[in-house]
């Protein structure tokens, strides 16, 4: 369908990524601590909107490049494999202290301002753009009839799943903030599990025939 392959591996990888703590998670938890459910939900929706911007940019830019050259597609997949291995290695070396949520902003922000903050924090993070450029092509065939549409479909699935999780996280943070902030060791092992998955996926791509 649309040249998408290993769809369930993509869904599983995306779900694991969504539950992995990082800057967006800390932002959502922090706003949930400060402003309750409404603040956490606004942060989650802002982050999701930022991800949509990255998905659209990846689809438009990559489609033009990949339509011009099959070799460019292969090169991009190699670069993506190297990036996924590097990212996975960093996750495997994570520490519990890396996942402490920071709720340091002043509690005078409006809910729309929290939304804009979440969106801009995500849009202006070059690592998010690089991740989508590396991750999405791994599940699209080089001869796909419409690569841009395939990227958009995969990206939309990823963003919807991520936003649903982030909304649940915002609700949890608003109700059980103290316990969540003390769960650094658990979050560390979730992060390491995803790191191992990324390393394995990167190796799989690197060893696959082009």
């Amino acid at each position: 369908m649309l040249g998408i392959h290993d769809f369930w591996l993509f869904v599983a990888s995306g779900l694991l990524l969504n539950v992995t703590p990082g800057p967006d998670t800390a932002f959502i938890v922090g706003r949930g601590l400060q402003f309750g459910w409404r603040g956490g939900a606004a942060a989650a929706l802002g982050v999701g909107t930022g991800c949509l911007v990255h998905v659209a940019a990846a689809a438009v830019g990559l489609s033009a490049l990949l339509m011009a050259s099959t070799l460019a597609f292969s090169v991009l997949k190699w670069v993506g494999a190297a990036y996924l291995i590097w990212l996975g290695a960093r996750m495997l070396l994570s520490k519990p202290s890396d996942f402490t949520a920071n709720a340091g902003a002043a509690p005078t922000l409006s809910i729309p301002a929290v939304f804009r903050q979440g969106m801009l924090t995500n849009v202006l993070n070059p690592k998010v753009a690089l991740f989508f450029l590396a991750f999405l092509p791994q599940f699209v065939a080089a001869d796909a009839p419409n690569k841009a549409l395939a990227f958009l479909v995969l990206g939309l699935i990823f963003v919807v799943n991520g936003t649903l999780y982030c909304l649940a996280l915002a609700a949890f943070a608003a109700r059980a903030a103290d316990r969540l902030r003390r769960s650094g060791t658990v979050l560390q092992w979730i992060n390491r599990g995803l790191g191992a998955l990324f390393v394995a996926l990167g190796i799989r791509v690197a060893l696959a025939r082009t």
Side-chain angles (χ1 to χ4, degrees):
M1 181 182 68
L2 301 176
I4 296 172
H5 60 82
D6 295 323
F7 177 74
W8 292 112
L9 177 60
F10 167 79
V11 172
S13 300
L15 289 174
L16 284 173
L17 176 66
N18 287 325
V19 302
T20 301
D24 290 340
T25 300
F27 178 78
I28 293 167
V29 170
R31 292 300 179 252
L33 293 174
Q34 291 176 301
F35 307 116
W37 159 245
R38 294 183 63 211
L45 293 174
V47 168
T49 302
C51 285
L52 286 177
V53 173
H54 285 295
V55 168
V60 172
L62 284 176
S63 62
L65 172 65
L66 301 178
M67 285 175 63
S69 172
T70 302
L71 175 61
F73 187 90
S74 298
V75 170
L76 181 61
K77 292 194 78 170
W78 274 99
V79 172
Y83 172 71
L84 289 172
I85 293 172
W86 173 80
L87 182 62
R90 290 195 62 183
M91 289 179 172
L92 286 170
L93 298 174
S94 63
K95 300 176 182 178
S97 59
D98 296 335
F99 312 119
T100 302
N102 183 3
T108 56
L109 289 173
S110 66
I111 296 302
V114 172
F115 174 87
R116 289 192 298 270
Q117 262 192 359
M119 182 179 68
L120 290 175
T121 297
N122 192 275
V123 168
L124 299 178
N125 186 351
K127 292 183 179 180
V128 177
L130 182 57
F131 175 80
F132 278 113
L133 289 173
F135 188 63
L136 295 183
Q138 314 305 326
F139 302 94
V140 179
D143 58 352
N146 193 330
K147 295 182 179 69
L149 181 59
F151 293 148
L152 287 173
V153 169
L154 290 176
L156 184 60
I157 292 171
F158 182 91
V159 172
V160 169
N161 287 340
T163 301
L164 290 175
Y165 167 73
C166 288
L167 289 172
L169 179 65
F172 180 78
R175 292 172 181 253
D178 290 339
R179 189 194 316 178
L180 184 63
R181 283 188 291 179
R182 291 195 296 267
S183 63
T185 300
V186 174
L187 297 180
Q188 176 194 26
W189 283 105
I190 292 175
N191 203 52
R192 287 180 173 178
L194 182 61
L197 175 64
F198 277 8
V199 170
L201 182 58
I203 293 173
R204 174 180 175 274
V205 171
L207 296 179
R209 294 181 180 180
T210 56

